[in-house]
Amino acid sequence: MIGTHQPDSLGRFGAFGGRFVPETVMAALDELQAAVNEALADPAFHAERDALARDFIGRPTPLYYAERLSEAVGGAQIWLKREDLNHTGAHKINNAVGQALIARRLGKRRIVAETGAGQHGVAAATVCARFGLDAVVYMGLEDTRRQRPNVVRMHMLGAELVPVTAGAGTLKDAMNEAIRDWIASVETTHYMIGSAAGPHPYPLLVRELQAVIGDEARAQLLDRAGRLPDAVLACVGGGSNAIGMFHAFRDDDVRLIGVEAGGDGAQLHAATLGGGRVSILHGSRSYVLADGEGQVLETHSISAGLDYPGVGPEHAHLKETGRAEYVPETDEAALVAFHRLCRLEGIIPALESAHALARAERVAASLPPAAIVLVCLSGRGDKDVDAIADREAVR
Amino acid sequence: MRLVTPALVVYLMADDGVADLAAAAVEAGATAIELGIPYSDPLADGPTIQRAGQRALDAGMTPSRALAVLAEIDRRVDVPLIPMTYGAIVEAYGVERFCADAAAAGAEGLIVADIPPEESAPLRDAAGGAGIDLIHLVAPTSREERLRAAAGLSRGFVYLVASMGTTGARERLDDRLAGLIGRTKAAAGATPVIAGFGISRPEHVRAVLAAGGDGVIVASAAIDALDEGGAEGFATFVRSLAGALA
Ligand SMILES: Cc1ncc(COP(=O)(O)O)c(C=O)c1O
């Protein structure tokens, strides 16, 4: 059931969100919204989702106290919400399973999706295999190179993968093509967006489907530590793992910290909330990395999943209201945190999640040992090991 | 807008030298010119217009320069001029300033592809204040209420999307075209209904007019004709569509 912190009737969170899309898909957004409202009010929908969460995804995911990492950092306790242990290796599957159930309610048997790191593409391909749907996944050419293991997985799962050569060949370009496909195919096709972005009702839908992360983590921490965390951190690409993690803590006295891709630490980055301006991208009003004339800028991040010039509208609202903070971590800092987690905890994190870890270490270092820092470990790093090995062998 | 119907609206991408093409289009029978202001991420556009837009951006085209190009076209031809762009461009420029500057450059109408009726109030006010017509779109998928809203809010004309998908030349238009034109005409009253998206042949023009439409917009097919046959091929193509208006 949809609870508090609802967008208004036009799908706006404060000044952000809405629907900025060609007329051709407006009717489909109305239909989707009706289907989402019905599904969220239907106990049968929740029962099926819960069963799939348990038996197919592997939920609840563990909450893990990273004791050796905490000790090495020398401050607060660092706890990890292990979304990396989900089936397919990231939080993306939470959203994909829910949207597959919605697509079925809509009677749509063809799915289009975009992917950056390939984790959403793999999740979409996975649920399409599981539900007998056709999957077409758009992925930037550059991303097909740097996340090659996920390309192979999508093929094995039976998805059609379409490499996108436009622009820099990254997530933004893949999303353009997925939306263009959908504009042409909207009557038979569901657009399975991978993040908490896009036109209303997608940001709300994805939040509701990812809120399980924070709901579980909050209950687990209360159970295990007997208290709420002092700070909650998550990386922010489009913002789905972050909003899923933050949502449960919105009304608690807890710092919410979103970590964006700081890239090279200077000009080349993907820190949209940190360095962007209010504009329109991919169907909603939010912060965008754009120039003064409205043209979208090229971004850079070592992590394909964060290499995106937009961000979900609810994060823009959380920034504007001061409820959450958004900070950058560089490629280098993410790599250091990546290796530290590998060596100290025996966990290979996704490069996206490593950005959140990098900041979590800094925050933990500034707090006393009794404090608790909770981090969303959004995914595992299997997809990244080749790219990191190549990069480090070159040096 | 001083739109003469049946209308043949020819789309050109703002680029240096485009005023000559606009003059050639009008000479060949175009009754209005739509001028694309390039945007980095044009979601409603297919490959032809994406490419034309990217070429223009690579050559340094900006929204202000595009309005200067519009003014240059206005000095050369005496037909309605209609800039077309995306919300991000208009908002970055400033909605009111954009409408005022476009009007000063000779624009009589404005199309913003990703601003639907529910989000268009600020733009409607600014366009109204500047004395230019804000055009809304209807699509084959638009339900009755949306169709009535778009038709009711449109000034100048209603832009009827004649095929599903992004812009681009097509062999066939949407099967529902005639019905959509009929429904839109009924909702639009005296406001003309002009069909675009996919229009690329004289028989498309005849089909639109036969169904009661007031004209067509041709974009990608005109740019394709230009890319393939130069200025001469472009003029020949426009003439072939103009011939189907009568
Ligand atoms: C593991 C992982 N974390 C985070 C992200 C970023 O997406 P979001 O901000 O929507 O959580 C991705 C995206 O590909 C990802 O694969």
Side-chain angles (χ1 to χ4, degrees), chain A residues 24 31 176 187 285 295, chain B residues 40-41 91 141 143 176:
Chain A
T24 306
E31 269 168 35
N176 283 340
E187 291 161 292
R285 184 187 308 288
Q295 310 293 358
Chain B
S40 56
D41 295 83
E91 291 191 0
T141 45
R143 301 260 157 62
R176 291 160 291 190

Side-chain angles (χ1 to χ4, degrees), chain B residues 106-117:
Chain B
E108 292 186 37
L110 173 64
I111 300 168
V112 187
D114 57 351
I115 307 279

